[in-house]
Amino acid sequence: MKILVTGTEGYIGARLAPWLRAHGHEVAGLDTGFYREGCLYVDPLGMPYGSSTSYKDLRNVTPADFEGFDAVIHLAELSNDPLGQNRPEITFKINHEGSVHIAKAARDAGVRRFVYASSCSVYGVGAGEFLDETSPTNPQTAYAQCKVLVERDLTPMADDRFSVVFLRNATAYGPSPRMRFDIVLNDLCALAWTKKKIAMVSDGSPWRPIVHIEDICEAMRCAAEAPSVAINGEVFNVGQTSENFRIREIAQIVAHAFPGCDVTAGPPSQDNRSYRVSFDKIASKLPGYQARWSAAMGAEEMRSLFERIDFTKETFEFRAFTRLKQLKYLQRTRQIDDDLYWSHR
Ligand SMILES: NC(=O)c1ccc[n+]([C@@H]2O[C@H](COP(=O)([O-])OP(=O)(O)OC[C@H]3O[C@@H](n4cnc5c(N)ncnc54)[C@H](O)[C@@H]3O)[C@@H](O)[C@H]2O)c1
C-alpha cells in the first residue's frame, strides 16, 4: 500500500515509518517538525526520511497532499496532557479541528482508509474495574477531550469508500530516535540509569496501562491492512490486559532491570487520572494482531540501549526529549509564534 503517516518526525512516527516499509509498504510522512533537534540514536533503517517527508502544518493541508495514497495513519498532534493544558485553545485547534480537517482532506482526495491514533486517556478516571471500548469516556484534560471529539466527528464519516478506525493506545514505552522521556516507563528508566534512584513524587497509586512502541506500530499496520469489514468505524484499545500497572509497580519493574537502583515513594497522589483497561477486543478482533512485549522486557531493552549509546544525564535532560520543554523553548526564542506556527515561514 501507499501510506501517508502524519507525525513521522515524532516518537511513534519515527518507528512506524520504517516498520511499515519493512512490511512492504511505500511510506511518506507529513510533520511540522517541532522535535527534529532530538535524535537519541541513529537508526540505519529509519532516519532520515528526507524527501519523503513533507514539512507542513496539518492545519494547512489540502486534498492535494493526499492524492494517490491508499491509507493515512494520523499521529501528528500535541501529544500529551501537559502539552495540551499549556494553552488548551491551541490544543483544540490542532488536535480536534486539525485532525477533522486532515480526515476530510484525505477523504476528498479518495483515500480509502484512515487510522487515528487515539488514547486510553479518554477513560480518564476509573473506579478500578477494567474499562473496555463500550465504557463511557471521562476525559480529564484538553488533550483527552480532543481525542473524544475527534472520534465523535470522524465516526459518521465512515462509509463504503472511507474506512475509519480508532486505536486507543495505552501509554507507550521503548526506544525511538525521536525519544520521549516525558512518558512513564522511559522516564523511570532514564532516572534509574542516570541517578540510580527513582524518587516518586507521589505514592504511585494511579493505574496506567502501558504498551511497547513496536506493539503500537504493529496495531497500526494491522489496522491499515485489515479488510474494511473488520475495522470500519471500530474502536480498539491497544495494549494487553496483563500490562495494567500502578505507577509504583512500573517503578519496581524498572528498578529490577537496573541493578542498584532504589525506589522511594512520596505522599498520596494528586493525579486524578487513573484507569485500568481491557485489551481483549484487539487480541481477538483485529486480524493478524498480536502484542509481543512486556514492561519487564521493555525495561531491559532500555538498559541495553543506554549501555550501547553511553546515555548521560545531559542527554536525558535535553529539551527535545520532553515535548513541553521543547515547545516552550521554541516559543521563548520566537521560533514559533503563539499559535505554534513557525515564525520564519
Ligand atoms: N506516546 C504515547 O504514549 C501515546 C499514547 C497514546 C496516544 N498517542 C498518540 O499518538 C500520536 C503520536 O504520539 P507521539 O508520542 O509520537 O507524539 P510526538 O509528540 O512525539 O509526535 C507528534 C508529532 O506531531 C507533530 N505535530 C504536532 N503538531 C503538528 C501540526 N500542527 N502540524 C504538523 N505536525 C504536527 C510534531 O512535530 C511531532 O513530530 C499522538 O496523536 C498521540 O496523542 C501517543
Side-chain angles (χ1 to χ4, degrees):
M1 291 166 77
K2 211 175 155 200
I3 304 179
L4 180 74
V5 177
T6 73
T8 32
E9 291 287 349
Y11 173 67
I12 296 173
R15 292 288 306 269
L16 178 62
W19 184 264
L20 295 171
R21 283 196 190 112
H23 286 87
H25 299 293
E26 196 182 320
V27 183
L30 185 144
D31 199 301
T32 195
F34 289 143
Y35 316 112
R36 287 184 77 199
E37 273 179 276
C39 183
L40 184 65
Y41 61 92
V42 174
D43 173 1
L45 294 179
M47 314 240 313
Y49 305 111
S51 57
S52 62
T53 293
S54 159
Y55 291 101
K56 194 162 192 175
D57 194 290
L58 66 89
R59 290 167 285 183
N60 296 332
V61 298
T62 66
D65 291 303
F66 302 95
E67 295 289 347
F69 287 98
D70 302 303
V72 170
I73 303 181
H74 177 42
L75 306 172
E77 282 187 6
L78 301 176
S79 57
N80 65 9
D81 293 318
L83 212 52
Q85 296 305 88
N86 188 31
R87 273 193 61 210
E89 65 280 16
I90 293 295
T91 306
F92 282 95
K93 287 270 177 228
I94 293 178
N95 290 18
H96 174 215
E97 292 172 29
S99 291
V100 174
H101 175 63
I102 278 223
K104 286 185 175 157
R107 182 194 57 186
D108 293 350
V111 171
R112 296 186 62 82
R113 175 79 43 110
F114 194 87
V115 179
Y116 179 61
S118 190
S119 162
C120 284
S121 66
V122 298
Y123 298 117
V125 185
E129 78 284 19
F130 284 90
L131 301 166
D132 68 18
E133 291 82 350
T134 63
S135 304
T137 55
N138 187 6
Q140 299 294 302
T141 59
Y143 167 78
Q145 271 169 17
C146 287
K147 294 292 189 198
V148 172
L149 292 172
V150 175
E151 290 189 11
R152 181 200 69 186
D153 292 350
L154 263 53
T155 299
M157 289 171 62
D159 63 20
D160 295 352
R161 281 160 301 134
F162 190 64
S163 304
V164 184
V165 52
F166 306 101
L167 300 180
R168 288 183 183 162
N169 301 293
T171 300
Y173 62 84
S176 165
R178 295 270 187 261
M179 196 57 177
R180 288 183 58 182
F181 288 118
D182 53 8
I183 40 184
V184 60
L185 187 136
N186 293 356
D187 182 27
L188 296 179
C189 288
L191 285 169
W193 178 264
T194 58
K195 299 203 165 130
K196 296 219 171 302
K197 190 173 165 68
I198 298 175
M200 289 189 296
V201 288
S202 76
D203 64 356
S205 57
W207 286 97
R208 209 51 56 79
I210 59 175
V211 62
H212 193 277
I213 189 166
E214 224 168 75
D215 286 340
I216 293 182
C217 293
E218 180 62 359
M220 289 175 168
R221 177 180 82 84
C222 292
E225 290 177 0
S228 174
V229 63
I231 53 91
N232 199 6
E234 294 291 329
V235 177
F236 294 95
N237 296 330
V238 180
Q240 296 176 79
T241 308
S242 58
E243 295 286 298
N244 284 280
F245 300 104
R246 290 186 188 275
I247 304 282
R248 60 173 173 254
E249 293 173 330
I250 302 176
Q252 293 298 348
I253 291 168
V254 168
H256 189 71
F258 289 78
C261 173
D262 290 333
V263 180
T264 56
S269 178
Q270 302 295 318
D271 189 349
N272 61 347
R273 299 166 308 157
S274 180
Y275 41 89
R276 283 164 104 182
V277 175
S278 163
F279 298 94
D280 296 351
K281 179 175 174 183
I282 192 165
S284 60
K285 298 266 168 60
L286 181 61
Y289 184 68
Q290 199 185 352
R292 298 188 187 279
W293 287 82
S294 66
M297 289 159 65
E300 294 284 347
E301 183 193 33
M302 291 294 289
R303 201 202 59 240
S304 307
L305 172 71
F306 292 164
E307 276 166 10
R308 176 161 64 85
I309 65 173
D310 196 12
F311 183 61
T312 62
K313 180 170 167 292
E314 288 66 40
T315 306
F316 176 26
E317 289 172 355
F318 181 51
R319 58 174 187 268
F321 299 135
T322 296
R323 296 306 182 236
L324 186 55
K325 238 195 229 183
Q326 174 71 358
L327 274 199
K328 286 196 159 165
Y329 160 78
L330 292 174
Q331 281 184 306
R332 183 172 55 75
T333 52
R334 307 305 300 160
Q335 296 184 67
I336 55 175
D337 66 20
D338 290 344
D339 294 330
L340 308 190
Y341 285 108
W342 291 99
S343 311
H344 60 261
R345 289 199 184 142

